[in-house]
Amino acid sequence: MTADANEKSSLKDSPQENGVQTNQYSAISPPASPVDQEQDGGFSTYFEEKVPIPNDANQAFSFRKLWAFTGPGFLMSIAYLDPGNIESDLQSGAKAGFKLLWVLLGATIIGLLLQRLAARLGVVTGMHLAEVCNRQYPTVPRIILWLMVELAIIGSDMQEVIGCAIALNLLSVGRIPLWAGVLITITDTFVFLFLDKYGLRKLEAFFGFLITVMAISFGYEYVLVKPDQGELLKGMFVPYCAGCGPVQLVQAVGIVGAVIMPHNIYLHSALVKSRDVDRKNKNDVKEANKYFFIESTIALFISFLINVFVVAVFAQAFYNKTNMDVNAECNMTGSPHTDLFPLNNATLEVDIYKGGVVLGCFFGPAALYIWAIGILAAGQSSTMTGTYSGQFVMEGFLNLRWSRFARVLLTRSIAITPTLLVAIFQDVQHLTGMNDFLNVLQSLQLPFALIPILTFTSLTSIMNDFANGLFWKISGGIVILAVCAINMYFVVVYITALNSVLLYVFAAFLSIAYLCFVIYLAWHCLIALGVSCLDFGSRMPFGLSRIYLQNEMDTYTLVER
């Protein structure tokens, strides 16, 4: 029965057969415990311990319980603070001032709702999204899905690792080249990742320390620049962008793409497994969902404030500044980076490297070094969580049974190799174009996280009483459709700016294959949402003859089709 239970089922809920409810989605059980897996063949997860939850049965809300559940949401929130997000923030401030803060607020709220779905999947099923995809999708779609998510992780890793390398370059006044910074980042990431051997809570505390470093660093810049608080609040709560054009529109789209990242959905669904929740007890599961949502809300609120610090600094100090303005200021302060800003009246273009330079020119060397420390904390923390994402995605989709070190080495090698090549052959002062490409790459991968998470959290055969209700199905579908449409616009704008017929033809062929796969996932998602007219499952064989159903005692019943 154990071997049979690992067979994949195909997709959808279906009616009763012979008085027994059947479905093409199988009910699922979590994998064996880490101890059992290690005994079977040296296989272990990152989270080998589970944090116990205190028993405060007579309290509607307990700070002790909230503290026990605190951790996964803050690790998840680091993806909202990675160097790609910081660069999007400073560009938003420099190009649009305070006018797009409401977009950042809206994107963060949407991100919170999507992270809620990811956390609920992990809590209710005891499995993360990659493991559920492994058990629910047929082989070919599953492999394609894995490859797409892996591409997103590689793109994110490149931004994060290069962000660290840029920070080291700034801190060393150019003495540490980009490629050396990448190697240093890779090395210390391996060291930090094994902190969980000393206890999961110590690892989470280390991430909390890095978030604190970011808050202090970017908060210092915020206090130094003294942004206009009235304009800040107006930009945050008035959803309007006066005098904005195509540049600001593209920047607004870029904010959404930077905030909502596909691999973070997979990551959060795995991180919540680190708490000792009795999944057979409905009240315990309900309670875990409540506290994880509260914790995620607090974590994303803090990440939002840090992002606001960065936007406000560059909105106040550098909005409508030209290259000539910055060049003159850098000349006056004797900066060695004056050549970064040509003598013309073009609007200032900044990235995380130039951002540090202009802060140093206008506000002194301390502003530059403190900025670099914040970027280093952002890059280091997001590189570590990116490693976890790669780990969970690969072991979930491929059901790897390797030793921990072998899996870490493989997942890091896949993601880091292209990053090192870029660092060797690309100059630190000309990385903006590459970052635009990586943002487009990650935007393309969004449907491959958002569609599966909505699909599986809407199915009672997987989520039981915790499946999405009608409101969440409709609102979730609308949000995901809007987010994907916004990001597709960003992709189209990027491709059309390339001005190459050959690239247009190549993109057209890729688009056909891409859209076919997205439509395939969306078709199954719509069936899960209750659009029964699209259900051709009874007339279309999926290559599977057996389905597993979970009864109330967490055992499995085999149903022959």
Side-chain angles (χ1 to χ4, degrees), residues 207-219:
F207 279 104
F209 167 74
L210 292 176
I211 293 174
T212 304
V213 170
M214 284 184 266
I216 293 173
S217 299
F218 300 134

Side-chain angles (χ1 to χ4, degrees), residues 37-38 41-45 391 394-395 398-411 414:
Q37 289 169 330
E38 286 184 295
F43 175 73
S44 65
T45 64
Q391 173 75 18
M394 182 167 284
E395 74 180 24
L398 304 184
N399 196 27
L400 292 180
R401 296 280 172 172
W402 295 0
S403 69
R404 178 182 182 184
F405 180 78
R407 285 180 291 133
V408 172
L409 187 62
L410 176 62
T411 53
I414 290 175

Side-chain angles (χ1 to χ4, degrees), residues 25 60 62 90 107 132 152 214 246 256 259 264 335 358 364 437 475 496 517 552 556:
Y25 280 107
S62 166
L90 64 89
V132 177
M214 284 184 266
V256 178
V259 167
N264 209 34
S335 170
V358 294
F437 170 75
S475 58
T496 53
F517 188 54
E552 295 179 355
Y556 286 80

Side-chain angles (χ1 to χ4, degrees), residues 74 88 149 181 265 278 340 387 396 410 511 561:
F74 282 88
S88 174
V149 177
I265 303 295
D278 182 6
L340 287 175
T387 302
L410 176 62
S511 297
R561 293 187 63 189

Side-chain angles (χ1 to χ4, degrees), residues 394-431:
M394 182 167 284
E395 74 180 24
F397 274 108
L398 304 184
N399 196 27
L400 292 180
R401 296 280 172 172
W402 295 0
S403 69
R404 178 182 182 184
F405 180 78
R407 285 180 291 133
V408 172
L409 187 62
L410 176 62
T411 53
R412 283 297 79 198
S413 298
I414 290 175
I416 293 301
T417 301
T419 307
L420 190 56
L421 292 175
V422 168
I424 292 172
F425 295 108
Q426 182 67 281
D427 185 76
V428 69
Q429 300 174 6
H430 302 91
L431 292 172

